[in-house]
Amino acid sequence: MGLLDQILSAVDNPNQQANTGQLASILNTVQQLSNSYHTNPSTMQSALSIVGNYVRSALQQKRAEAGYEGAQSIVNQYSGTYPNPQAVDALFGSHQIQQMVQTVAQRTGLDANMILQMLPILVPVVLNLLRSGSNIQHPQRGTNPVLNSFLDADRDGDVDIADAMMMAGRYLNR
């Protein structure tokens, strides 16, 4: 089951945090970010997908070091739709940030300084999407199928965050 399937399943499950309002908020944040930086939506989706690759690697490392609960804790603590520089710092060292910015700049043509300014918004948005599978009553307990799907992806280098966002938009008729 792919990431989008897990997200939509979470929307339909009253025991998980996902809801259409959360998806709409995430989509609105990405659209506002695109508008604020005068970037076309497809470029922003590409940037989000690349950042998603880095978030996945960082969360896989957190899971290896601190177990599943460590990765879930990062997702719960730093997810959102508002700028949060601590989310970037919690996941990445300065070398990783430089590498991520360089990769996004090379693949999208966006300015490196602009990307640095966007990271405190993009990282929490990716985490917010992953939080959608958390249990409503006990977010730290149990499994989060959305996070599991994300972390255990087929490792083909493509994180389907952008695809999931696009399909979620279609699901919400946006």
Side-chain angles (χ1 to χ4, degrees), residues 3-4 6-12 17-31 81 125 128-133 146 164-172 174:
L3 183 61
L4 178 64
Q6 290 293 347
I7 293 167
L8 294 180
S9 177
V11 168
D12 291 336
Q17 293 187 10
N19 60 61
T20 55
Q22 178 190 23
L23 290 179
S25 178
I26 291 169
L27 292 170
N28 286 338
T29 300
V30 173
Q31 183 62 48
T81 55
V125 163
N128 197 12
L129 195 60
L130 299 176
R131 192 183 78 201
S132 64
V146 175
M165 297 282 291
M166 185 175 64
M167 295 303 289
R170 289 183 187 154
Y171 174 79
L172 297 172
R174 292 180 167 242

Side-chain angles (χ1 to χ4, degrees), residues 13-80:
N13 185 337
N15 295 319
Q16 292 177 312
Q17 293 187 10
N19 60 61
T20 55
Q22 178 190 23
L23 290 179
S25 178
I26 291 169
L27 292 170
N28 286 338
T29 300
V30 173
Q31 183 62 48
Q32 289 172 359
L33 189 61
S34 182
N35 292 342
S36 295
Y37 286 95
H38 308 290
T39 305
N40 76 44
S42 65
T43 301
M44 189 58 65
Q45 287 178 354
S46 294
L48 189 63
S49 188
I50 296 163
V51 169
N53 275 323
Y54 281 89
V55 168
R56 179 176 64 189
S57 294
L59 286 174
Q60 286 170 331
Q61 183 176 352
K62 294 288 182 194
R63 181 178 64 179
E65 294 168 356
Y68 174 80
E69 292 79 18
Q72 182 66 50
S73 178
I74 294 286
V75 169
N76 291 342
Q77 186 173 356
Y78 297 107
S79 64

Side-chain angles (χ1 to χ4, degrees), residues 40-164:
N40 76 44
S42 65
T43 301
M44 189 58 65
Q45 287 178 354
S46 294
L48 189 63
S49 188
I50 296 163
V51 169
N53 275 323
Y54 281 89
V55 168
R56 179 176 64 189
S57 294
L59 286 174
Q60 286 170 331
Q61 183 176 352
K62 294 288 182 194
R63 181 178 64 179
E65 294 168 356
Y68 174 80
E69 292 79 18
Q72 182 66 50
S73 178
I74 294 286
V75 169
N76 291 342
Q77 186 173 356
Y78 297 107
S79 64
T81 55
Y82 296 99
N84 186 348
Q86 292 83 16
V88 178
D89 295 339
L91 286 171
F92 306 109
S94 60
H95 177 71
Q96 291 169 307
I97 292 170
Q98 286 178 318
Q99 186 180 22
M100 180 171 31
V101 167
Q102 186 177 28
T103 302
V104 173
Q106 288 172 347
R107 292 191 188 166
T108 64
L110 293 173
D111 176 72
N113 288 325
M114 184 187 325
I115 297 163
L116 271 174
Q117 292 171 11
M118 287 190 279
L119 285 180
I121 301 168
L122 292 174
V123 171
V125 163
V126 170
L127 296 175
N128 197 12
L129 195 60
L130 299 176
R131 192 183 78 201
S132 64
S134 296
N135 183 284
I136 288 176
Q137 300 294 325
H138 306 286
Q140 278 303 113
R141 290 193 222 147
T143 61
N144 174 338
V146 175
L147 178 60
N148 285 339
S149 178
F150 182 72
L151 293 178
D152 297 329
D154 60 6
R155 304 192 198 306
D156 67 356
D158 294 332
V159 174
D160 50 348
I161 289 284
D163 292 338

